[in-house]
Amino acid sequence: MSLHDDTAMHRAFALPGARLQYGPDKVVKVEHIELYLEPDLQAQTLDGICTTTVRAYDEPVERLALDAVDLTIASVERDGKPLEFAMRDGRLEIRFDPPLAPNERAAFRVVYRTSRPRHGLFFVEPTAEYPDNVRHAWTQSQDENARYWFPALDYPAEKQTTQTTIAVPKGLFALGNGALLERREEAGRTVYTYRQDIPHSTYLMTMVAGPFVEARQADAGARNVPVYYYVLPGREADGQRAFGDTPRMIATFEEKIGTPYPYARYSQIAVTDFIFGGMENTSATTQTDRTLHDERAHLDFSSDPLVSHELAHQWFGDLLTCRDWSQAWLNEGFATFFECVWREADLGYDEYLYDVFGCVARYLEEDSERYRRPIVCNSYRDPIEIFDRHLYEKAGAALHMLRGELGDGRFWRSIARYVKQNAERNVETLDLIRAIEEETGRNMRGFFDQWFYRGGHPEVEISVAWDAKRNAATVTVDQKQHVDDANPAYRFDVDLGFCADVPVAAAANAGPALLGSERRIRVRVERAHETLTVPLDFEPQLVRFDPGAWLLGQITYKFGATLAAATLRGDPDPVARIRAARELAKDGTQTARDALREAFERDPFWGVLEQAASALGETRAPWARDTLVAALHHAHPKVRRAVAAALGNFRDASVATALLPVAQGDASYFVCAAAYASLGKTLDPRAFDVLVDAVGRRTWNGTIEAGAARGLAELGDARAVDALLEAVRPGRDEGLRRAAAGALARAGELLYSERTRIVDAVVQLLDDPMFLVQLAAIAAAERLEDVRALPALDRLARSGFDGRVRRDAAEAAIRIREAQKVPSQVSALRSDLDTLREEQRTLQEKIETLSRH
Ligand SMILES: [Zn+2]
């Protein structure tokens, strides 16, 4: 629900057909679900018996409708007597005769089968294209797909205890929720029984079966909970690299949250072709096997964000569950914020802050390019639609802001109270607001209105001037976003710091702490244009805006080169240094150039340099190119990756010469990939052969090949299209195929003459059996803006198997139709562009040939 409407300048979030969602009324309380499951991995069927214990509310119950899709029901009975039932429109309707009396408890048993289900339960098997696949099965119930593998009242506000018995061929492993009660051998089968004693929602129920290898980790936390991970044979070492930090994370989160890890054990199981990154099934998280990684990837890739996110859900999501999906930020915003919390505990404050900064950046991108909506929002067609960058990243960053607003002590005490008070219950935003008020006395309704019930954010510009006559600093805070009566200026308190001198070098992990000579004041900003005059007995050499970067928004410094250079050199807050670096890159004066060059020599934090590199790349200026080339061998692989990527903005043989050995020889997969991608952008004549060679390689998760595919697309060369069509075909790595789908779209933009076969290939990919490739194909179709993709997109928007497919296809179709309104000159211009590129290439080759002589 939206309290404000400042979406006028943005696309609407709600698609045609969206309606206000509230969740159903309750007819009975479900107390317990007991499942007996026999998956057949060869036949891809599941035989099940689901026994559900319900209690009527205060009225008699004659009919009960359970969610159940494509299940073949053999029988429904209560106490051995058959009950009348019917399957109708995704529901199993049961008739109690006589009706349940008020408050009466009843257990009924449904015997059913599902065969090659469309959703909810997935079977992986070796295929002609992927002969190395290992046969196994996994479920994915969120958000409303448990109903594809057992009948249930399938929505988050229903919580029950569960018991899951899974019978698999002898020697195979099976995982369910909760404590392992029993593992027994019988008649050539192994039978596992799990019991979940703390009530949870059906979307958190899981079954995984296959030849998994078990690894037991150190017991963790105050209750010494056993911790396990499960991987398919051969991936044991990769599993240790991915999941090794889990016990330490449990201890850290317990300490922060104040409630011990709640369940009997914690397991993570890595499955193939998973349709998410991870899924926080209660006590038994499913993870994508793409997070398993070798030693080379471990250099600059970590599974910790994924692992910490899913682990945090065990409290935020599983123990406290959003009442309905409109409140899902209480799951996802918290889980995202706790990724940052783990990073702080593990790697320090700079990493924490940079993680939050990344959240803000990803949210801002969605806001500017896709749509704007309030975080709390109940207008959608499919619940999965709201699982976006607002729900995760904006909400995560808003929790960081809440931490700043309350201060560490009060923030963490409020979180602890919220968790204790609401454990095992369903929650909505108001429960958090109340917990904060009860703990601290602070009334945060205004804060939540502004950040959670209203879309958008402030776009702030800060400038500073020194008035020597009056000995006063003037700080101007301008809110540049659209402001009117319906969209008032944002109100926030912010710290300003003024320092008499600049530290010689920025301290690492100093947090928002005071500097030695700093004078800190707190000011209230509430008008679109605020001028704050601060009398000082010294001219500040360093001015700090919002140390700790609490404020969520688009924040731009207009400090001038001298002050910005001082910030980049000495402000311990990495986000301040990033903002200064961005200003300096735009400024481009000698002061700015020197400051940026120096930063690459001595800034203590890679994140600052990552952003500085990207800002330098955007300038496309020769001086920036030289700074980047010099930084291409920086010690930190993430800096090299960003520098290599930024160099793609320079179309120049010397850049290609610098990138080539990096692409072919860097220690990091990701640096190689970025260098290959940029190499393509240089349009250097040497690039084509090198890229074709690289795209044919087989590296971890297709990482290097994906970079090469992106590079090939940039060449605007018809021969590259052949290589991309080869890269996108089934049999190649999923990651490569996704990148190649995007690369084909890029090639289609550059090469009008190749569009028909590119569009054909992308349209074909729209029905690819790999879910994530399908999503990449939808994005590619949108980018191509070609009407020939519309019939397939319209079909997917109506009847795609997953809500994300339906949502993305609908958005893509809308964008393509909008694009058609642009005059048809566009196609003629595209054709001209092709010709110009061809001429450019010929000229470049001539220059190359001449310069060799
Ligand atoms: Zn999540």
Side-chain angles (χ1 to χ4, degrees):
M1 174 171 25
S2 167
L3 295 183
H4 304 272
D5 180 22
D6 66 349
T7 55
M9 327 281 290
H10 288 74
R11 283 170 201 277
F13 164 70
L15 293 175
R19 58 191 182 82
L20 296 176
Q21 309 273 354
Y22 298 97
D25 292 327
K26 296 186 180 191
V27 182
V28 293
K29 167 80 195 96
V30 181
E31 293 184 340
H32 185 67
I33 295 174
E34 189 167 329
L35 290 174
Y36 176 84
L37 304 169
E38 286 186 13
D40 185 328
L41 302 184
Q42 310 266 347
Q44 307 198 349
T45 59
L46 177 75
D47 285 300
I49 301 171
C50 177
T51 306
T52 309
T53 306
V54 301
R55 192 173 49 74
Y57 283 96
D58 53 355
E59 293 282 337
V61 176
E62 189 188 354
R63 287 171 194 281
L64 179 63
L66 301 175
D67 301 296
V69 183
D70 297 344
L71 302 183
T72 307
I73 309 293
S75 66
V76 181
E77 50 184 57
R78 178 185 177 193
D79 301 330
K81 294 193 200 81
L83 296 181
E84 217 179 277
F85 69 90
M87 281 290 277
R88 202 169 290 144
D89 300 331
R91 296 287 186 88
L92 167 62
E93 294 176 4
I94 297 170
R95 187 160 164 255
F96 292 104
D97 184 17
L100 301 185
N103 292 311
E104 184 182 353
R105 178 176 285 126
F108 56 92
R109 187 170 180 266
V110 181
V111 179
Y112 65 96
R113 160 177 274 220
T114 180
S115 184
R116 297 181 178 263
R118 279 183 290 157
H119 213 307
L121 169 59
F122 297 78
F123 292 90
V124 179
E125 61 180 357
T127 61
E129 291 92 3
Y130 299 96
D132 297 336
N133 273 355
V134 176
R135 205 177 281 283
H136 62 287
W138 46 265
T139 60
Q140 172 57 33
S141 303
Q142 194 176 11
D143 31 66
E144 295 182 340
N145 299 319
R147 61 193 65 177
Y148 284 86
W149 62 283
F150 64 93
L153 290 173
D154 190 15
Y155 52 94
E158 197 64 55
K159 286 189 154 202
Q160 54 269 303
T161 55
T162 62
Q163 180 165 315
T164 315
T165 300
I166 308 160
V168 289
K170 192 173 162 59
L172 291 195
F173 174 73
L175 184 63
N177 303 99
L180 176 62
L181 287 191
E182 188 188 40
R183 175 188 187 277
R184 64 174 197 277
E185 306 288 337
E186 60 168 48
R189 301 187 309 175
T190 309
V191 182
Y192 296 80
T193 299
Y194 293 89
R195 186 172 173 93
Q196 172 64 36
D197 276 326
I198 297 177
H200 64 150
S201 303
T202 48
Y203 81 88
L204 296 164
M205 288 178 67
T206 186
M207 178 204 72
V208 183
F212 291 90
V213 181
E214 176 179 288
R216 182 160 180 177
Q217 302 181 259
D219 292 353
R223 294 169 49 242
N224 287 318
V225 174
V227 182
Y228 303 85
Y229 63 81
Y230 300 87
V231 292
L232 290 166
R235 305 303 301 273
E236 292 86 344
D238 295 351
Q240 181 57 30
R241 269 184 287 270
F243 305 129
D245 286 337
T246 312
R248 282 204 297 137
M249 279 180 204
I250 292 176
T252 302
F253 287 0
E254 283 190 352
E255 197 189 313
K256 291 283 178 198
I257 299 166
T259 292
Y261 173 83
Y263 305 114
R265 54 191 245 146
Y266 187 57
S267 308
Q268 294 171 90
I269 190 160
V271 304
T272 304
D273 292 341
F274 197 49
I275 60 173
F276 288 91
M279 177 63 212
E280 66 272 21
N281 300 310
T282 312
S283 84
T285 291
T286 306
Q287 304 280 24
T288 171
D289 65 0
R290 300 183 67 77
T291 201
L292 305 177
H293 55 278
D294 62 18
E295 209 162 338
R296 185 173 172 193
H298 204 56
L299 179 67
D300 52 348
F301 173 85
S302 167
S303 298
D304 279 12
L306 175 66
V307 172
S308 55
H309 179 105
E310 304 308 334
L311 176 65
H313 271 314
Q314 300 297 320
W315 288 266
F316 304 100
D318 298 5
L319 189 63
L320 287 72
T321 308
C322 58
R323 207 206 75 83
D324 56 57
W325 300 117
S326 74
Q327 307 288 326
W329 82 267
L330 292 166
N331 296 10
E332 298 303 345
F334 270 95
T336 304
F337 176 68
F338 270 78
E339 293 176 42
C340 310
V341 171
W342 166 248
R343 223 171 165 91
E344 180 176 6
D346 186 41
L347 300 170
Y349 190 81
D350 287 354
E351 292 270 358
Y352 162 82
L353 208 54
Y354 191 54
D355 224 12
V356 175
F357 175 85
C359 286
V360 175
R362 285 190 295 282
Y363 151 68
L364 289 175
E365 189 185 342
E366 179 170 272
D367 178 83
S368 69
E369 292 182 4
R370 206 170 169 202
Y371 50 68
R372 168 170 291 184
R373 70 174 184 85
I375 292 173
V376 179
C377 162
N378 70 339
S379 175
Y380 49 80
R381 301 190 305 190
D382 286 307
I384 195 74
E385 291 176 40
I386 69 163
F387 285 73
D388 60 4
R389 307 282 68 86
H390 286 67
L391 195 76
Y392 287 71
E393 279 88 349
K394 186 184 183 188
L399 283 171
H400 164 70
M401 190 164 45
L402 183 64
R403 177 182 176 182
E405 182 67 29
L406 296 175
D408 262 12
R410 294 205 288 184
F411 174 75
W412 287 112
R413 284 199 304 279
S414 299
I415 299 299
R417 175 184 281 266
Y418 164 69
V419 172
K420 269 201 187 68
Q421 268 174 193
N422 295 287
E424 303 189 26
R425 296 177 46 188
N426 286 100
V427 281
E428 44 200 316
T429 308
L430 195 55
D431 293 308
L432 178 62
I433 297 174
R434 285 202 177 114
I436 298 168
E437 189 167 25
E438 287 162 15
E439 184 63 37
T440 68
R442 290 285 305 269
N443 178 357
M444 301 302 286
R445 283 165 183 79
F447 178 94
F448 278 85
D449 270 359
Q450 180 164 279
W451 300 107
F452 287 85
Y453 291 99
R454 167 180 174 180
H457 55 265
E459 291 164 26
V460 181
E461 266 181 25
I462 301 112
S463 50
V464 180
W466 173 247
D467 184 340
K469 271 190 217 138
R470 292 195 298 168
N471 269 357
T474 306
V475 178
T476 309
V477 181
D478 272 327
Q479 296 193 37
K480 296 292 207 182
Q481 78 278 7
H482 176 73
V483 173
D484 60 20
D485 288 347
N487 306 288
Y490 280 78
R491 288 169 64 125
F492 50 88
D493 293 335
V494 70
D495 286 338
L496 300 175
F498 303 89
C499 306
D501 46 49
V502 186
V504 192
N509 295 320
L514 278 180
L515 285 171
S517 68
E518 183 173 345
R519 165 119 189 274
R520 182 85 59 92
I521 60 166
R522 190 157 182 84
V523 296
R524 158 67 51 101
V525 173
E526 54 191 354
R527 286 172 305 184
H529 180 84
E530 296 273 8
T531 306
L532 309 152
T533 304
V534 185
L536 293 169
D537 47 16
F538 56 88
E539 181 179 352
Q541 304 302 307
L542 179 68
V543 176
R544 309 184 69 190
F545 174 80
D546 188 25
W550 305 108
L551 179 65
L552 196 169
Q554 179 122 38
I555 291 138
T556 312
Y557 286 179
K558 301 270 179 190
F559 278 9
T562 306
L563 198 52
T567 305
L568 180 57
R569 180 155 59 108
D571 196 315
D573 185 319
V575 174
R577 301 209 294 284
I578 289 167
R579 290 172 182 155
R582 287 177 170 177
E583 179 180 356
L584 291 166
K586 281 209 185 95
D587 179 274
T589 55
Q590 196 57 45
T591 308
R593 297 178 192 192
D594 292 346
L596 284 160
R597 196 172 43 243
E598 248 180 65
F600 279 95
E601 280 153 27
R602 60 184 198 189
D603 196 284
F605 184 53
W606 63 270
V608 172
L609 300 179
E610 179 175 85
Q611 297 301 319
S614 136
L616 283 170
E618 278 165 26
T619 67
R620 293 180 157 81
W623 65 269
R625 174 200 59 205
D626 297 343
T627 303
L628 288 168
V629 169
L632 197 47
H633 297 280
H634 193 277
H636 202 296
K638 289 185 184 173
V639 176
R640 297 202 298 278
R641 190 196 305 189
V643 168
L647 281 168
N649 289 298
F650 302 92
R651 202 158 282 174
D652 148 342
S654 72
V655 168
T657 303
L659 285 169
L660 265 168
V662 173
Q664 293 174 317
D666 197 276
S668 153
Y669 289 125
F670 297 97
V671 178
C672 296
Y676 277 122
S678 287
L679 185 63
K681 287 183 168 181
T682 65
L683 301 184
D684 190 272
R686 290 165 289 181
F688 178 77
D689 290 338
V690 173
L691 290 172
V692 165
D693 186 52
V695 85
R697 294 178 59 188
R698 298 283 192 278
T699 64
W700 172 74
N701 279 0
T703 305
I704 290 185
E705 301 91 289
R710 291 198 298 276
L712 277 168
E714 299 291 341
L715 291 179
D717 182 332
R719 294 172 304 161
V721 176
D722 297 326
L724 290 174
L725 290 172
E726 176 63 22
V728 87
R729 74 175 168 76
R732 299 305 308 272
D733 180 88
E734 179 200 280
L736 170 62
R737 298 187 67 215
R738 280 151 58 192
L744 276 171
R746 175 68 181 143
E749 287 176 334
L750 298 177
L751 282 163
Y752 204 68
S753 55
E754 296 293 320
R755 272 178 80 84
T756 297
R757 63 183 181 132
I758 288 174
V759 170
D760 284 351
V762 167
V763 168
Q764 180 132 18
L765 288 174
L766 288 173
D767 286 303
D768 198 86
M770 273 184 172
F771 172 69
L772 295 175
V773 173
Q774 196 179 15
L775 288 187
I778 294 171
E782 180 176 329
R783 184 166 188 178
L784 284 165
E785 293 182 348
D786 199 296
V787 289
R788 286 169 285 185
L790 282 174
L793 287 172
D794 287 341
R795 170 173 51 79
L796 291 176
R798 272 194 315 274
S799 56
F801 92 106
D802 183 274
R804 281 173 290 172
V805 170
R806 294 190 290 271
R807 167 92 208 183
D808 288 5
E811 274 189 47
I814 289 170
R815 304 281 166 90
I816 292 172
R817 290 197 165 91
E818 281 173 5
Q820 302 320 307
K821 293 174 191 155
V822 177
S824 61
Q825 296 161 354
V826 168
S827 62
L829 286 171
R830 282 205 175 111
S831 184
D832 290 352
L833 197 62
D834 268 5
T835 317
L836 285 170
R837 276 178 211 284
E838 194 53 47
E839 281 170 18
Q840 182 188 11
R841 197 164 39 251
T842 318
L843 283 170
Q844 200 138 14
E845 275 166 21
K846 269 189 199 148
I847 293 168
E848 280 296 313
T849 320
L850 286 171
S851 56
R852 267 187 228 120
H853 296 300

